[in-house]
């Protein structure tokens, strides 16, 4: 989060506009603009744990992480700068939450890349504010308006669920596998044998699909589940509860909050951060696994076949095998042997 994103560069074109404002930043924050922009007050609310980690170093308690913003999170703010995510239901969830807390008259700025669908901002916000496009640059759009009507927000209305075999999967907007089991996770699940035991760490747990299915046919496993997305954390907790399963679910930026060692680490790692392609998380997942696996423990991941993970697996573990593949995905397995060591 060092270089500014295209959306932040558009905001910087209007930096003089914000010097006397008390600004709440929210949405798909991709850099540390909230800590750099000259304002009277800068607050941040984000659902992304890794973004909060960086911003809280400078903004301290003025940077908040969680599924739902509260009145304390937006206190004193007279302006909202919202960074549009690629997921429209996620945008509606976040904006309805924020606007239900901000006072009528609050200035609203919505910015995002055109390919993310930011054009939808005008129509989405129409019941509460009239938005007008005020700038177009860096393949982004910037919209401005004033809050005329506070919406009502009820997080319970955003919960959804779907059946998966004998299980019920609970989901929220912005969560991976929200609408059903994706093909990659399904391929990974097909390689897991029944009656497994030991400690299993599910990295990037999403709605909790992998862990819930694993526990359903291997009830003796001890589940540990982590994600950066606050919505994923809450969805995974709800999925476990709905199926009477036990597990520890917590926020972590890959291994930032992970302690101890495990017998298996499973993951369908992301290769996007917002709209941007990024292999950083997956590479960190692979390279850091040796510090969090028991001897003889294994890392098992599924990934798009074109991604360059075999080399990283071999550099880290000494070798790997492809358990299963189809036209799009490969399931990789790497076992921690004594010769394996972490790479810097």
């Amino acid at each position: 989060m060092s270089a500014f994103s295209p959306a932040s560069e558009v905001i910087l074109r209007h930096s003089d506009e914000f010097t006397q404002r008390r600004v709440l930043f929210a949405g798909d924050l991709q850099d540390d603009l909230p800590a750099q922009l000259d304002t009277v007050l800068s607050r941040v609310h984000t659902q992304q744990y890794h973004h909060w980690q960086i911003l809280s170093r400078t903004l301290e308690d003025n940077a908040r992480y969680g599924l739902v913003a509260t009145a304390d999170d937006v206190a004193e703010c007279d302006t909202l700068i919202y960074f549009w995510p690629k997921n429209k239901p996620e945008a509606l969830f976040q904006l309805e939450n924020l606007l239900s807390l901000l006072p009528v008259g609050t200035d609203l700025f919505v910015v995002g890349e055109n390919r993310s669908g930011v054009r939808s901002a005008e129509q989405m916000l129409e019941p509460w504010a009239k938005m007008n496009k005020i700038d177009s640059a860096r393949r982004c759009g910037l919209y401005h308006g004033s809050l005329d009507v506070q919406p009502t927000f009820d997080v319970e209305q955003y919960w959804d669920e779907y059946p998966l075999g004998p299980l019920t999967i609970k989901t929220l907007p912005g969560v991976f596998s929200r609408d059903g089991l994706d093909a990659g996770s399904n391929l990974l699940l097909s390689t897991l044998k029944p009656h497994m035991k030991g400690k299993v760490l599910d990295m990037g747990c999403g709605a909790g699909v992998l862990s819930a299915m694993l526990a359903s046919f291997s009830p003796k496993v001890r589940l540990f589940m982590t994600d950066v997305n606050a919505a994923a954390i809450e969805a995974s907790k709800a999925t476990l509860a709905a199926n009477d399963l036990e597990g520890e679910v917590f926020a972590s930026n890959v291994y930032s909050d992970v302690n101890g060692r495990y017998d298996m680490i499973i993951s369908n790692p992301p290769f996007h951060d917002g709209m941007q392609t990024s292999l950083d998380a997956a590479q960190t997942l692979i390279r850091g696994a040796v510090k969090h696996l028991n001897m003889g423990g294994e890392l098992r991941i599924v990934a798009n076949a074109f991604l360059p993970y075999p080399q990283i697996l071999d550099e880290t573990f000494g070798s790997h095998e492809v358990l299963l593949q189809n036209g799009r995905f490969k399931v990789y397995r790497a076992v921690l042997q004594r010769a394996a060591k972490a790479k810097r």
Side-chain angles (χ1 to χ4, degrees), residues 23-26 29 34-35 42-46 55 59 62-65 73:
V23 182
L24 173 66
F25 296 84
L29 299 161
S42 290
R43 291 186 182 272
V44 170
H45 183 269
T46 177
L55 291 167
L59 298 177
N62 281 329
R64 305 286 181 89
Y65 162 79
D73 297 335

Side-chain angles (χ1 to χ4, degrees), residues 34-291:
Q36 301 294 331
L37 193 66
D38 184 19
T39 66
V40 174
L41 173 69
S42 290
R43 291 186 182 272
V44 170
H45 183 269
T46 177
Q47 292 183 345
Q48 302 296 323
Y49 189 68
H50 56 314
H51 296 166
W52 171 81
Q53 282 181 314
I54 292 176
L55 291 167
S56 63
R57 294 171 192 166
T58 304
L59 298 177
E60 298 180 339
D61 196 46
N62 281 329
R64 305 286 181 89
Y65 162 79
L67 174 64
V68 175
T70 67
D72 286 345
D73 297 335
V74 308
E76 304 177 59
C77 293
D78 57 25
T79 302
L80 171 66
I81 298 179
Y82 182 79
F83 288 79
W84 192 265
K86 63 180 180 180
N87 184 287
K88 189 174 177 181
E90 181 181 6
L92 179 61
F93 178 101
Q94 293 174 354
L95 283 167
E96 192 170 273
N97 173 207
L98 295 166
L99 299 184
S100 71
L101 300 168
L102 291 165
V104 169
T106 297
D107 266 313
L108 310 178
F109 293 84
V110 177
V111 64
E113 295 188 40
N114 294 329
R115 60 180 176 151
S116 73
V118 69
R119 297 180 183 89
S120 300
E122 288 180 282
Q123 182 179 1
M124 182 181 292
L125 289 170
E126 189 175 9
W128 315 308
K130 179 174 174 54
M131 304 295 292
N132 295 297
K133 192 173 188 179
I134 61 171
D135 199 0
S136 181
R138 312 290 196 274
R139 297 181 179 176
C140 295
L142 175 62
Y143 297 81
H144 172 253
S146 177
L147 182 61
D148 299 318
V149 178
Q150 275 187 323
T152 56
F153 174 75
D154 180 5
V155 66
E156 296 302 322
Q157 294 183 352
Y158 283 92
W159 280 100
D160 202 355
E161 63 182 49
Y162 61 87
L164 183 60
L167 301 175
T168 297
I169 307 300
K170 306 288 284 188
T171 66
L172 284 165
V175 176
F176 187 66
S177 293
R178 177 175 183 243
D179 300 316
L181 180 63
D182 64 283
S185 295
N186 190 41
L187 194 68
L188 174 57
L189 279 170
S190 70
T191 70
L192 297 173
K193 299 178 181 178
H195 311 300
M196 294 173 54
K197 299 178 182 179
K199 293 173 63 179
V200 177
L201 177 63
D202 182 354
M203 298 288 292
C205 55
V209 173
L210 287 178
S211 286
M213 285 294 289
L214 175 59
S216 71
F217 57 72
S218 295
K220 291 187 178 181
V221 297
R222 294 174 57 196
L223 294 177
F224 298 83
M225 305 156 66
T226 183
D227 206 296
V228 293
N229 186 342
I233 295 297
E234 297 306 317
S236 283
K237 290 179 179 178
T239 293
L240 292 181
N243 297 284
D244 295 321
L245 299 172
E246 293 185 359
E248 183 178 332
V249 187
F250 58 98
S252 181
N253 178 11
V254 196
Y255 297 108
S256 69
D257 291 63
V258 173
N259 297 309
R261 291 181 177 268
Y262 300 84
D263 299 298
M264 177 180 282
I265 298 173
I266 58 174
S267 185
N268 183 350
F271 62 98
H272 288 96
D273 189 355
M275 292 298 300
Q276 311 306 318
T277 299
S278 175
L279 303 181
D280 292 348
Q283 291 184 10
T284 302
L285 166 68
I286 294 170
R287 297 190 189 281
V290 294
K291 295 181 180 179

